[in-house]
Amino acid sequence: MELSTLDYSFIIVFFSLVLGIGIYVSKKSGKNSSEFFLSGRTMPWWLLGLSMVATTFSTDTPNLVTDIVRTSGVSGNWVWWCFLLTGMLTVFVYAKLWRKSNVKTDLEFYEMRYGGKPASFLRKFRSIYLGALFNIITMASVTLAAIKIGGIMLGLEPWETVVGAGLITVVFSALGGFKGVVYTDFLLFFVAMAGAIGAAFYLVNIPEVGGIEALIAHENVADKLNILPDFDNTSVLVTMFIIPIAVQWWSSWYPGAEPGGGGYIAQRMLAAKDENHAIGATFFFNIMHYALRPWPWILVALASLVVYPDIASIAEAFPDVADNKLGHDLAYSAMLTKLPSGLLGVVLASLVAAYMSTISTQLNWGSSYIVFDFYKQQIKPDATEKEMVAVGRISTVVLMLLSALLALTLQNAFEVFDLLVTFGAGTGLVFILRWFWWRINAWSEITAMFVSGIISILLVKTNLGEILFNPTTGLLPEWANYPFVVVVTTAIWVAVTLMTKPESDATLQSFYKKIQPGGPGWAKVVANATKDNIEIVNTKEKWSVPSGITAMLLGVTLVYSAMFSTGYWIYGETTSALIGTGIALVSGLSLMKVWKGMKEHIL
């Protein structure tokens, strides 16, 4: 496939704009660590919301969605659609709490909520565990997608893609800091959205596919269209729907969908002007991320089943692709080779935008952990602002290099998704409850983190998984793998919580006074403070969690019904589309009323 002059022009102009923004803001971003990592906490909700959406566009996401649709159908996407529940919980309950904490990173929270050496250890360890290990794995998955796109669309060797895409991104990220990331995300969002929609519209209507009606009727596609899984197939129903909706969303830590908020989502909430802007940003993100954005990718994935019905057909069409990179996720890139000049340039620019947005965010977020939570805490407590910015830039480069090397060893996007979800299984509940139950201590999180990781490694690297989950043994069905990790991890960390000493009264009272979490889970702390004549309760602030949960449920209904109705409009199922649209409108109006009854408003 050859690019035209017009295609190259789109890509060159895009690269020039992105690098220009990075250079333009570099002087102010390098002013101090708060500017470099949080842009001085002055960001409006709409800019942060667009940034969240752009960051999660990513190059691996359309590949992941394509892999899921081709192997499990549209309903297979519930493995990540379920995270809307934790997303909405973050919007209406945790966004306000995070912004009130006023920490620089979400890991700084540990020494606010907990005390002593365990809290200090937890903060330092997770700065490397998340900022380096998990961050590198996530970036490697994104870079793997870029490798596949470069190989299919441009005929590039893996190392050529890594060097070309990585070099520009790391230079821009090291120069511009968080402000450069957010400002360019504004541009990247519109470029990426235009590319995804344009590609879907064109590819569904190419002669091989024949339009939306022909696509839906095609024998390779007809059994892949259901948004909900087949309720008569127990195994599929449990694996693809019940476990994600009932267990996965609250129990597992996953980048961008952390229970209770966290990671780069927390970074953006902490950079907001105030609590209201933090809420507005996360709400906008969840609507765009789940209700609207998946459908262009889904349509291309469905069309690929017509053009490339199996992996063998992809291998035949692209013989130069290495065997260890072949997979269903490659079908997305394969379909993009059929785009015409001009649109091809826009789509390639959009993919570059998606890559740069995700990687730059991960780099800035990961280096913020290394600077604030490891270097300043462990290496040099008296580090100057200039030194911290320098360390942030150096760690940005190192993280990029390590993730690029790992990307060269990976095979497909879904294996990384599955690894991250399983590795964090059972840890989610502690992240949710630590705000609202005084008894949780640093050992709760340390235990959850280590137990989940150890069990996951045992399942993968030993025959424990085969013994427990091989149907021929009659012990447990294969789908019980994930719930097993969740149950064991949760049981152990709860037991450790109850057996270990709680945090000191001073630590708990200080946390309560600053955050005002409220609720029955803090009744003992409030009672003890009252007994000692210590005022920690702000009587002017009512407990907002009950109304927040009501708003969460209405928000979930709004987004899911919008997502369903969008799909049904595309499928031409008018009755179902109208019902979904009606539910979306009713839930939206109800949500507005609940908002008016809440003390804090979005705008």
Side-chain angles (χ1 to χ4, degrees):
M1 185 188 72
E2 294 186 3
L3 299 182
S4 68
T5 302
L6 182 60
D7 295 324
Y8 279 117
S9 298
F10 278 122
I11 297 171
I12 291 171
V13 168
F14 172 75
F15 271 129
S16 299
L17 285 171
V18 168
L19 285 175
I21 292 172
I23 294 170
Y24 177 74
V25 302
S26 61
K27 185 175 181 180
K28 189 171 183 180
S29 293
K31 183 179 178 181
N32 56 56
S33 58
S34 180
E35 281 288 345
F36 191 79
F37 293 113
L38 294 171
S39 191
R41 304 185 192 271
T42 58
M43 290 290 177
W45 69 269
W46 56 269
L47 188 56
L48 290 171
L50 285 173
S51 178
M52 291 181 192
V53 180
T55 293
T56 50
F57 246 108
S58 188
T59 45
D60 65 326
T61 313
N63 287 18
L64 172 65
V65 170
T66 300
D67 194 331
I68 291 172
V69 170
R70 287 174 62 89
T71 56
S72 304
V74 174
S75 62
N77 284 287
W78 284 102
V79 297
W80 68 274
W81 282 344
C82 68
F83 288 125
L84 170 65
L85 280 81
T86 192
M88 283 297 176
L89 194 62
T90 297
V91 171
F92 296 111
V93 176
Y94 293 102
K96 181 177 73 170
L97 300 176
W98 275 114
R99 189 60 189 85
K100 286 171 71 174
S101 73
N102 207 38
V103 295
K104 289 185 173 70
T105 71
D106 56 315
L107 298 189
E108 189 180 334
F109 166 89
Y110 288 127
E111 292 187 288
M112 176 187 296
R113 174 62 176 82
Y114 312 125
K117 292 182 179 180
S120 179
F121 166 79
L122 185 59
R123 180 178 179 183
K124 294 167 188 173
F125 182 82
R126 281 186 74 83
S127 68
I128 302 300
Y129 179 77
L130 296 179
L133 177 61
F134 267 68
N135 199 22
I136 288 169
I137 293 173
T138 302
M139 288 192 295
S141 175
V142 177
T143 303
L144 171 65
I147 288 172
K148 295 194 173 191
I149 291 168
I152 288 288
M153 301 187 69
L154 302 174
L156 298 176
E157 292 295 324
W159 70 268
E160 292 176 319
T161 300
V162 168
V163 171
L167 185 61
I168 294 174
T169 304
V170 77
V171 168
F172 149 73
S173 301
L175 284 174
F178 183 74
K179 182 168 289 186
V181 170
V182 174
Y183 282 6
T184 52
D185 276 349
F186 180 78
L187 170 66
L188 302 179
F189 168 81
F190 292 104
V191 174
M193 203 72 198
I197 294 173
F201 181 82
Y202 182 87
L203 292 171
V204 165
N205 290 286
I206 60 175
E208 297 99 309
V209 179
I212 190 67
E213 292 183 2
L215 173 65
I216 291 172
H218 196 279
E219 59 182 358
N220 293 349
V221 175
D223 63 344
K224 305 283 188 181
L225 296 172
N226 290 336
I227 300 175
L228 290 172
D230 183 1
F231 279 60
D232 293 327
N233 187 328
T234 304
S235 178
V236 172
L237 179 65
V238 171
T239 305
M240 294 295 178
F241 187 73
I242 293 179
I243 289 177
I245 288 293
V247 181
Q248 184 175 302
W249 72 270
W250 59 262
S251 64
S252 187
W253 185 97
Y254 184 76
E258 299 88 346
Y264 58 79
I265 299 297
Q267 185 188 32
R268 278 153 176 74
M269 291 188 287
L270 293 169
K273 287 182 178 181
D274 53 37
E275 299 160 29
N276 296 328
H277 283 267
I279 295 171
T282 48
F283 185 49
F284 177 79
F285 159 67
N286 279 278
I287 292 175
M288 292 298 299
H289 183 56
Y290 293 100
L292 302 176
R293 193 173 55 183
W295 285 107
W297 298 331
I298 290 171
L299 287 172
V300 174
L302 293 172
S304 74
L305 287 166
V306 178
V307 182
Y308 304 105
D310 50 34
I311 294 177
S313 61
I314 299 174
E316 183 180 354
F318 303 94
D320 294 333
V321 175
D323 290 342
N324 70 336
K325 301 300 180 188
L326 281 172
H328 284 290
D329 58 338
L330 209 61
Y332 189 82
S333 304
M335 290 296 292
L336 297 184
T337 63
K338 298 185 174 296
L339 295 175
S341 175
L343 180 56
L344 177 60
V346 171
V347 171
L348 272 174
S350 76
L351 293 172
V352 172
Y355 174 81
M356 293 185 68
S357 177
T358 302
I359 294 295
S360 60
T361 289
Q362 295 289 148
L363 288 172
N364 188 265
W365 164 62
S367 63
S368 74
Y369 281 2
I370 293 171
V371 170
F372 289 122
D373 304 299
F374 183 76
Y375 179 76
K376 187 170 176 58
Q377 291 294 310
Q378 181 72 24
I379 307 299
K380 194 173 183 182
D382 60 345
T384 65
E385 291 293 330
K386 187 176 181 180
E387 287 174 329
M388 287 194 288
V389 171
V391 172
R393 285 172 168 161
I394 292 170
S395 59
T396 295
V397 175
V398 173
L399 288 173
M400 186 72 241
L401 287 173
L402 293 175
S403 66
L405 292 174
L406 178 60
L408 296 172
T409 69
L410 298 176
Q411 186 166 351
N412 67 67
F414 191 78
E415 69 180 1
V416 180
F417 174 85
D418 194 48
L419 169 66
L420 290 174
V421 169
T422 304
F423 211 78
T427 62
L429 191 59
V430 72
F431 299 136
I432 291 175
L433 293 181
R434 65 188 182 182
W435 296 88
F436 297 109
W437 185 26
W438 71 275
R439 193 60 181 82
I440 287 179
N441 57 35
W443 292 110
S444 309
E445 294 206 33
I446 293 170
T447 302
M449 179 174 56
F450 278 100
V451 170
S452 176
I454 290 169
I455 295 176
S456 298
I457 291 171
L458 288 174
L459 288 173
V460 174
K461 297 297 183 182
T462 72
N463 65 348
L464 176 62
E466 182 178 345
I467 293 172
L468 290 176
F469 308 121
N470 188 334
T472 60
T473 66
L475 295 177
L476 287 172
E478 189 173 2
W479 52 259
N481 190 329
Y482 180 85
F484 175 80
V485 179
V486 171
V487 170
V488 173
T489 300
T490 303
I492 292 175
W493 76 251
V494 169
V496 168
T497 299
L498 298 175
M499 290 187 294
T500 52
K501 187 178 179 180
E503 301 298 336
S504 68
D505 286 345
T507 298
L508 295 172
Q509 290 169 5
S510 174
F511 176 79
Y512 192 99
K513 187 173 183 178
K514 184 178 183 64
I515 304 299
Q516 297 294 304
W522 287 94
K524 184 173 182 179
V525 174
V526 173
N528 288 342
T530 302
K531 182 179 178 181
D532 296 335
N533 294 319
I534 301 173
E535 291 187 13
I536 63 172
V537 178
N538 182 354
T539 56
K540 295 180 180 180
E541 185 170 338
K542 296 179 181 179
W543 192 39
S544 61
V545 171
S547 56
I549 291 176
T550 301
M552 167 208 168
L553 295 174
L554 288 170
V556 167
T557 304
L558 167 64
V559 175
Y560 276 148
S561 56
M563 181 185 76
F564 274 53
S565 58
T566 300
Y568 288 133
W569 284 118
I570 292 171
Y571 291 168
E573 299 181 18
T574 306
T575 302
S576 298
L578 287 171
I579 293 173
T581 302
I583 294 173
L585 290 172
V586 171
S587 57
L589 291 172
S590 301
L591 181 58
M592 290 175 65
K593 291 183 179 180
V594 172
W595 274 349
K596 290 178 180 178
M598 296 173 70
K599 180 181 178 182
E600 298 292 337
H601 298 279
I602 284 185
L603 297 174

